[in-house]
Amino acid sequence: DEIEEKDWDGMEVCQSGDTLGMLLNLDEGTLTVYKNNRRLGVMKDGLSGPYCWYVSLANSQTGTDAVSIKRGTHPNSDGATSV
């Protein structure tokens, strides 16, 4: 399958050391992106069904960038958790 890349409102370049968060809300059908605990915007809407997380690093200049996927606390929330 081919991966489709599209610009979205709030999209920003990421650098080594940035922390990215993604909040998948299947009640609203949205995927919201956070960078360094700051909300960038909704990357995708109209989502439903099962999903599997994966990561691809492109143009890694140091070769030492790391990725982890874990459940975390939603920025600026009352402690609700998100993936």
Side-chain angles (χ1 to χ4, degrees):
D1 292 328
E2 187 174 319
I3 297 174
E4 183 179 328
E5 295 183 31
K6 290 186 177 182
D7 290 346
W8 44 275
D9 289 340
M11 184 174 174
E12 290 184 5
V13 173
C14 295
Q15 299 177 8
S16 182
D18 284 340
T19 299
L20 297 180
M22 301 178 109
L23 175 62
L24 177 62
N25 183 331
L26 291 177
D27 291 332
E28 294 182 13
T30 58
L31 179 63
T32 303
V33 179
Y34 295 82
K35 176 179 159 186
N36 301 324
N37 289 326
R38 182 175 52 90
R39 184 183 185 276
L40 297 182
V42 175
M43 175 189 278
K44 186 76 175 163
D45 59 9
L47 301 173
S48 65
Y51 287 89
C52 176
W53 294 99
Y54 80 95
V55 175
S56 174
L57 293 177
N59 301 324
S60 176
Q61 296 183 8
T62 65
T64 61
D65 293 326
V67 173
S68 65
I69 298 174
K70 59 186 176 180
R71 181 173 293 272
T73 302
H74 181 280
N76 303 317
S77 74
D78 59 0
T81 59
S82 58
V83 176

